[in-house]
Amino acid sequence: MTAIYLLFILMLAIFVGFELIRKVPATLHTPLMSGANAISGITVLGAISIAGKGYEEWATWLGAAAVLLATINVVGGYMVTDRMLAMFKKR
Amino acid sequence: MTDYSIIINFVYVLSATLFIFGLKLLSHPSTARKGNLLSALAMFVAVIVTLLDQQIISFELILVCFVIGSILGVIAARKVAMTSMPELVSLFNGIGGLASLAVAYATLVGGENLSVFIILVSFVALLIGAITFSGSIVAWAKLSERMIGRPIAFKGQIFANIALLLGILLSAVLICAQPEIATWHYLAIGLALLMGVMLVLPIGGADMPVVISLLNSYSGLAACAAGFALENNLLIVAGALVGASGIILTNIMCKAMNRSLMNVMTSGFQAVQSSDM
């Protein structure tokens, strides 16, 4: 039954995602892509819960590696997006 | 369930709202920077509150990984030249895909008595994560001219790709049947990595931004699938947001470049249409 609830959430979120990005000016394509990419680093939450749960050694190391990688994606992604957008404002 | 799980889930709802507002603001030039900060705030809050989870017993490893990851991310974001931004986004995207791959793999390896549903969604996360990773690396190599930019196609490519797809399906069946055998995991990861390379190889350098946008959408879907495996609502919502908005953005970019979305997505399965000018 949980799976059904989760599917409901998925469906609604997909519709919101579709509706959000209707009209985007061409100059914002790359920053938007980069910003969305940073959000996809949300995997870090899953990685945290796996790395900290006290699974067997191999799984814990995989989780820790995932935390590291996802953090690079999140931190780097947001900073790069901000750098791009800061350049827009000056023009 | 402890009291904390209520707080965690409440903050997750807040984070999801902030992500949605962030994306909305990000699609208008005047508010874009604010939108980015808002979504960064959402991410920060979500990470902090996840650490409250009482199932988490060791923090040292996580904190060390946070610090190293942040330093690497900051260095990469600061050092890169403005002209090579798309490459960097592609590289970050690949790293995110690899993270999803690791999360899914760890779920398969670490969990006990996994249901078929969990195994299946973990497999999907593994698959999409691996495709995102290897595809993004190829896209990065093409954009940064570490690799030839023109479309690479060979005879029988369609058959090779169909064989690859069948192989991936077979590995899914094998993993569901015998989830504890490591060989099947390696088989699935290997085939999925190959698939990512095969998908991006036949696409030319000029179309790379579209491909990166598409792969970005995939990495959202990978996070979404990982959310199903871990039963984490925010992972599902944020992943689906990125997945859906990524597809729309890819479509818009395709139209701007006079290409069809289907053409880019299935380029490995048809005769290559050259877009040389």
PDB file of all heavy atoms in Angstrom, chain B residues 222-250:
ATOM      1  N   ALA B 222      16.615   9.013 -11.536  1.00  0.00           N
ATOM      2  CA  ALA B 222      17.387   8.059 -10.742  1.00  0.00           C
ATOM      3  C   ALA B 222      17.186   8.333  -9.251  1.00  0.00           C
ATOM      4  O   ALA B 222      16.965   7.413  -8.456  1.00  0.00           O
ATOM      5  CB  ALA B 222      18.873   8.130 -11.101  1.00  0.00           C
ATOM      6  N   ALA B 223      17.236   9.633  -8.882  1.00  0.00           N
ATOM      7  CA  ALA B 223      17.014   9.994  -7.480  1.00  0.00           C
ATOM      8  C   ALA B 223      15.609   9.589  -7.056  1.00  0.00           C
ATOM      9  O   ALA B 223      15.386   9.102  -5.944  1.00  0.00           O
ATOM     10  CB  ALA B 223      17.218  11.491  -7.288  1.00  0.00           C
ATOM     11  N   CYS B 224      14.660   9.772  -7.970  1.00  0.00           N
ATOM     12  CA  CYS B 224      13.274   9.418  -7.715  1.00  0.00           C
ATOM     13  C   CYS B 224      13.138   7.914  -7.432  1.00  0.00           C
ATOM     14  O   CYS B 224      12.497   7.502  -6.461  1.00  0.00           O
ATOM     15  CB  CYS B 224      12.464   9.808  -8.943  1.00  0.00           C
ATOM     16  SG  CYS B 224      10.729   9.742  -8.703  1.00  0.00           S
ATOM     17  N   ALA B 225      13.784   7.095  -8.279  1.00  0.00           N
ATOM     18  CA  ALA B 225      13.727   5.644  -8.082  1.00  0.00           C
ATOM     19  C   ALA B 225      14.389   5.248  -6.766  1.00  0.00           C
ATOM     20  O   ALA B 225      13.882   4.388  -6.034  1.00  0.00           O
ATOM     21  CB  ALA B 225      14.407   4.934  -9.255  1.00  0.00           C
ATOM     22  N   ALA B 226      15.505   5.919  -6.449  1.00  0.00           N
ATOM     23  CA  ALA B 226      16.170   5.650  -5.170  1.00  0.00           C
ATOM     24  C   ALA B 226      15.225   6.000  -4.017  1.00  0.00           C
ATOM     25  O   ALA B 226      15.210   5.336  -2.980  1.00  0.00           O
ATOM     26  CB  ALA B 226      17.466   6.438  -5.062  1.00  0.00           C
ATOM     27  N   GLY B 227      14.409   7.063  -4.204  1.00  0.00           N
ATOM     28  CA  GLY B 227      13.421   7.447  -3.201  1.00  0.00           C
ATOM     29  C   GLY B 227      12.406   6.349  -2.953  1.00  0.00           C
ATOM     30  O   GLY B 227      12.009   6.091  -1.818  1.00  0.00           O
ATOM     31  N   PHE B 228      11.986   5.676  -4.037  1.00  0.00           N
ATOM     32  CA  PHE B 228      11.069   4.543  -3.872  1.00  0.00           C
ATOM     33  C   PHE B 228      11.723   3.427  -3.090  1.00  0.00           C
ATOM     34  O   PHE B 228      11.100   2.810  -2.222  1.00  0.00           O
ATOM     35  CB  PHE B 228      10.625   4.022  -5.241  1.00  0.00           C
ATOM     36  CG  PHE B 228       9.414   4.715  -5.776  1.00  0.00           C
ATOM     37  CD1 PHE B 228       9.531   5.749  -6.678  1.00  0.00           C
ATOM     38  CD2 PHE B 228       8.148   4.341  -5.353  1.00  0.00           C
ATOM     39  CE1 PHE B 228       8.421   6.401  -7.159  1.00  0.00           C
ATOM     40  CE2 PHE B 228       7.036   4.981  -5.832  1.00  0.00           C
ATOM     41  CZ  PHE B 228       7.167   6.012  -6.729  1.00  0.00           C
ATOM     42  N   ALA B 229      13.007   3.156  -3.393  1.00  0.00           N
ATOM     43  CA  ALA B 229      13.697   2.061  -2.721  1.00  0.00           C
ATOM     44  C   ALA B 229      13.856   2.345  -1.227  1.00  0.00           C
ATOM     45  O   ALA B 229      13.774   1.445  -0.407  1.00  0.00           O
ATOM     46  CB  ALA B 229      15.064   1.839  -3.362  1.00  0.00           C
ATOM     47  N   LEU B 230      14.069   3.636  -0.870  1.00  0.00           N
ATOM     48  CA  LEU B 230      14.313   3.979   0.532  1.00  0.00           C
ATOM     49  C   LEU B 230      13.062   4.505   1.215  1.00  0.00           C
ATOM     50  O   LEU B 230      13.091   4.856   2.393  1.00  0.00           O
ATOM     51  CB  LEU B 230      15.425   5.035   0.617  1.00  0.00           C
ATOM     52  CG  LEU B 230      16.771   4.609   0.064  1.00  0.00           C
ATOM     53  CD1 LEU B 230      17.690   5.797  -0.111  1.00  0.00           C
ATOM     54  CD2 LEU B 230      17.404   3.579   0.974  1.00  0.00           C
ATOM     55  N   GLU B 231      11.950   4.584   0.455  1.00  0.00           N
ATOM     56  CA  GLU B 231      10.689   5.137   0.962  1.00  0.00           C
ATOM     57  C   GLU B 231      10.894   6.522   1.546  1.00  0.00           C
ATOM     58  O   GLU B 231      10.482   6.828   2.663  1.00  0.00           O
ATOM     59  CB  GLU B 231      10.058   4.199   1.975  1.00  0.00           C
ATOM     60  CG  GLU B 231       9.749   2.849   1.360  1.00  0.00           C
ATOM     61  CD  GLU B 231       8.816   2.015   2.210  1.00  0.00           C
ATOM     62  OE1 GLU B 231       8.721   2.315   3.409  1.00  0.00           O
ATOM     63  OE2 GLU B 231       8.205   1.093   1.661  1.00  0.00           O
ATOM     64  N   ASN B 232      11.570   7.365   0.769  1.00  0.00           N
ATOM     65  CA  ASN B 232      11.820   8.746   1.181  1.00  0.00           C
ATOM     66  C   ASN B 232      11.023   9.681   0.274  1.00  0.00           C
ATOM     67  O   ASN B 232      11.265   9.771  -0.925  1.00  0.00           O
ATOM     68  CB  ASN B 232      13.331   9.033   1.071  1.00  0.00           C
ATOM     69  CG  ASN B 232      13.679  10.419   1.560  1.00  0.00           C
ATOM     70  OD1 ASN B 232      12.995  11.387   1.260  1.00  0.00           O
ATOM     71  ND2 ASN B 232      14.749  10.519   2.318  1.00  0.00           N
ATOM     72  N   ASN B 233      10.023  10.384   0.866  1.00  0.00           N
ATOM     73  CA  ASN B 233       9.115  11.216   0.067  1.00  0.00           C
ATOM     74  C   ASN B 233       9.834  12.332  -0.677  1.00  0.00           C
ATOM     75  O   ASN B 233       9.539  12.596  -1.841  1.00  0.00           O
ATOM     76  CB  ASN B 233       8.053  11.854   0.959  1.00  0.00           C
ATOM     77  CG  ASN B 233       7.132  10.812   1.525  1.00  0.00           C
ATOM     78  OD1 ASN B 233       7.057   9.710   0.993  1.00  0.00           O
ATOM     79  ND2 ASN B 233       6.445  11.141   2.606  1.00  0.00           N
ATOM     80  N   LEU B 234      10.753  12.998   0.029  1.00  0.00           N
ATOM     81  CA  LEU B 234      11.388  14.170  -0.583  1.00  0.00           C
ATOM     82  C   LEU B 234      12.235  13.769  -1.785  1.00  0.00           C
ATOM     83  O   LEU B 234      12.282  14.493  -2.784  1.00  0.00           O
ATOM     84  CB  LEU B 234      12.240  14.911   0.451  1.00  0.00           C
ATOM     85  CG  LEU B 234      12.824  16.229  -0.037  1.00  0.00           C
ATOM     86  CD1 LEU B 234      11.734  17.143  -0.548  1.00  0.00           C
ATOM     87  CD2 LEU B 234      13.594  16.919   1.059  1.00  0.00           C
ATOM     88  N   LEU B 235      12.879  12.604  -1.687  1.00  0.00           N
ATOM     89  CA  LEU B 235      13.663  12.107  -2.818  1.00  0.00           C
ATOM     90  C   LEU B 235      12.752  11.916  -4.028  1.00  0.00           C
ATOM     91  O   LEU B 235      13.119  12.266  -5.153  1.00  0.00           O
ATOM     92  CB  LEU B 235      14.321  10.778  -2.434  1.00  0.00           C
ATOM     93  CG  LEU B 235      15.825  10.673  -2.602  1.00  0.00           C
ATOM     94  CD1 LEU B 235      16.512  11.698  -1.762  1.00  0.00           C
ATOM     95  CD2 LEU B 235      16.317   9.290  -2.253  1.00  0.00           C
ATOM     96  N   ILE B 236      11.560  11.397  -3.786  1.00  0.00           N
ATOM     97  CA  ILE B 236      10.623  11.164  -4.884  1.00  0.00           C
ATOM     98  C   ILE B 236      10.157  12.488  -5.483  1.00  0.00           C
ATOM     99  O   ILE B 236      10.180  12.676  -6.701  1.00  0.00           O
ATOM    100  CB  ILE B 236       9.404  10.349  -4.395  1.00  0.00           C
ATOM    101  CG1 ILE B 236       9.859   8.957  -3.951  1.00  0.00           C
ATOM    102  CG2 ILE B 236       8.363  10.231  -5.490  1.00  0.00           C
ATOM    103  CD1 ILE B 236       8.758   8.108  -3.400  1.00  0.00           C
ATOM    104  N   VAL B 237       9.764  13.433  -4.601  1.00  0.00           N
ATOM    105  CA  VAL B 237       9.229  14.705  -5.102  1.00  0.00           C
ATOM    106  C   VAL B 237      10.304  15.482  -5.856  1.00  0.00           C
ATOM    107  O   VAL B 237      10.104  15.883  -7.012  1.00  0.00           O
ATOM    108  CB  VAL B 237       8.678  15.566  -3.937  1.00  0.00           C
ATOM    109  CG1 VAL B 237       8.312  16.953  -4.434  1.00  0.00           C
ATOM    110  CG2 VAL B 237       7.470  14.898  -3.331  1.00  0.00           C
ATOM    111  N   ALA B 238      11.466  15.668  -5.228  1.00  0.00           N
ATOM    112  CA  ALA B 238      12.513  16.463  -5.877  1.00  0.00           C
ATOM    113  C   ALA B 238      12.994  15.775  -7.141  1.00  0.00           C
ATOM    114  O   ALA B 238      13.203  16.427  -8.179  1.00  0.00           O
ATOM    115  CB  ALA B 238      13.677  16.679  -4.910  1.00  0.00           C
ATOM    116  N   GLY B 239      13.140  14.449  -7.086  1.00  0.00           N
ATOM    117  CA  GLY B 239      13.575  13.702  -8.266  1.00  0.00           C
ATOM    118  C   GLY B 239      12.580  13.855  -9.404  1.00  0.00           C
ATOM    119  O   GLY B 239      12.969  14.092 -10.546  1.00  0.00           O
ATOM    120  N   ALA B 240      11.286  13.749  -9.082  1.00  0.00           N
ATOM    121  CA  ALA B 240      10.263  13.863 -10.126  1.00  0.00           C
ATOM    122  C   ALA B 240      10.221  15.276 -10.689  1.00  0.00           C
ATOM    123  O   ALA B 240      10.037  15.467 -11.896  1.00  0.00           O
ATOM    124  CB  ALA B 240       8.898  13.478  -9.573  1.00  0.00           C
ATOM    125  N   LEU B 241      10.398  16.289  -9.817  1.00  0.00           N
ATOM    126  CA  LEU B 241      10.444  17.681 -10.288  1.00  0.00           C
ATOM    127  C   LEU B 241      11.549  17.861 -11.314  1.00  0.00           C
ATOM    128  O   LEU B 241      11.332  18.405 -12.397  1.00  0.00           O
ATOM    129  CB  LEU B 241      10.692  18.633  -9.114  1.00  0.00           C
ATOM    130  CG  LEU B 241       9.528  19.016  -8.231  1.00  0.00           C
ATOM    131  CD1 LEU B 241      10.009  19.901  -7.110  1.00  0.00           C
ATOM    132  CD2 LEU B 241       8.477  19.721  -9.042  1.00  0.00           C
ATOM    133  N   VAL B 242      12.747  17.380 -10.954  1.00  0.00           N
ATOM    134  CA  VAL B 242      13.883  17.522 -11.866  1.00  0.00           C
ATOM    135  C   VAL B 242      13.645  16.710 -13.132  1.00  0.00           C
ATOM    136  O   VAL B 242      13.892  17.189 -14.251  1.00  0.00           O
ATOM    137  CB  VAL B 242      15.189  17.060 -11.181  1.00  0.00           C
ATOM    138  CG1 VAL B 242      16.332  17.074 -12.168  1.00  0.00           C
ATOM    139  CG2 VAL B 242      15.505  17.958 -10.010  1.00  0.00           C
ATOM    140  N   GLY B 243      13.127  15.499 -12.969  1.00  0.00           N
ATOM    141  CA  GLY B 243      12.872  14.646 -14.126  1.00  0.00           C
ATOM    142  C   GLY B 243      11.899  15.295 -15.096  1.00  0.00           C
ATOM    143  O   GLY B 243      12.163  15.381 -16.293  1.00  0.00           O
ATOM    144  N   ALA B 244      10.780  15.787 -14.565  1.00  0.00           N
ATOM    145  CA  ALA B 244       9.743  16.355 -15.428  1.00  0.00           C
ATOM    146  C   ALA B 244      10.185  17.678 -16.037  1.00  0.00           C
ATOM    147  O   ALA B 244      10.070  17.890 -17.253  1.00  0.00           O
ATOM    148  CB  ALA B 244       8.456  16.542 -14.635  1.00  0.00           C
ATOM    149  N   SER B 245      10.723  18.584 -15.186  1.00  0.00           N
ATOM    150  CA  SER B 245      11.127  19.881 -15.736  1.00  0.00           C
ATOM    151  C   SER B 245      12.307  19.712 -16.691  1.00  0.00           C
ATOM    152  O   SER B 245      12.442  20.457 -17.661  1.00  0.00           O
ATOM    153  CB  SER B 245      11.465  20.861 -14.617  1.00  0.00           C
ATOM    154  OG  SER B 245      12.542  20.396 -13.872  1.00  0.00           O
ATOM    155  N   GLY B 246      13.132  18.696 -16.439  1.00  0.00           N
ATOM    156  CA  GLY B 246      14.253  18.423 -17.333  1.00  0.00           C
ATOM    157  C   GLY B 246      13.778  18.017 -18.716  1.00  0.00           C
ATOM    158  O   GLY B 246      14.316  18.464 -19.726  1.00  0.00           O
ATOM    159  N   ILE B 247      12.745  17.169 -18.758  1.00  0.00           N
ATOM    160  CA  ILE B 247      12.207  16.734 -20.058  1.00  0.00           C
ATOM    161  C   ILE B 247      11.624  17.932 -20.806  1.00  0.00           C
ATOM    162  O   ILE B 247      11.877  18.117 -22.007  1.00  0.00           O
ATOM    163  CB  ILE B 247      11.104  15.671 -19.845  1.00  0.00           C
ATOM    164  CG1 ILE B 247      11.722  14.344 -19.418  1.00  0.00           C
ATOM    165  CG2 ILE B 247      10.300  15.478 -21.124  1.00  0.00           C
ATOM    166  CD1 ILE B 247      12.342  13.544 -20.529  1.00  0.00           C
ATOM    167  N   ILE B 248      10.867  18.783 -20.087  1.00  0.00           N
ATOM    168  CA  ILE B 248      10.269  19.956 -20.728  1.00  0.00           C
ATOM    169  C   ILE B 248      11.359  20.885 -21.252  1.00  0.00           C
ATOM    170  O   ILE B 248      11.311  21.357 -22.392  1.00  0.00           O
ATOM    171  CB  ILE B 248       9.381  20.726 -19.724  1.00  0.00           C
ATOM    172  CG1 ILE B 248       8.159  19.889 -19.354  1.00  0.00           C
ATOM    173  CG2 ILE B 248       8.940  22.056 -20.284  1.00  0.00           C
ATOM    174  CD1 ILE B 248       7.141  19.789 -20.446  1.00  0.00           C
ATOM    175  N   LEU B 249      12.373  21.112 -20.400  1.00  0.00           N
ATOM    176  CA  LEU B 249      13.474  21.995 -20.804  1.00  0.00           C
ATOM    177  C   LEU B 249      14.184  21.430 -22.029  1.00  0.00           C
ATOM    178  O   LEU B 249      14.516  22.163 -22.975  1.00  0.00           O
ATOM    179  CB  LEU B 249      14.453  22.155 -19.637  1.00  0.00           C
ATOM    180  CG  LEU B 249      15.609  23.118 -19.864  1.00  0.00           C
ATOM    181  CD1 LEU B 249      15.089  24.509 -20.124  1.00  0.00           C
ATOM    182  CD2 LEU B 249      16.532  23.129 -18.657  1.00  0.00           C
ATOM    183  N   THR B 250      14.395  20.097 -22.022  1.00  0.00           N
ATOM    184  CA  THR B 250      15.048  19.463 -23.175  1.00  0.00           C
ATOM    185  C   THR B 250      14.219  19.698 -24.434  1.00  0.00           C
ATOM    186  O   THR B 250      14.753  20.015 -25.500  1.00  0.00           O
ATOM    187  CB  THR B 250      15.190  17.950 -22.932  1.00  0.00           C
ATOM    188  OG1 THR B 250      15.753  17.741 -21.658  1.00  0.00           O
ATOM    189  CG2 THR B 250      16.080  17.323 -23.984  1.00  0.00           C
TER     190      THR B 250
END
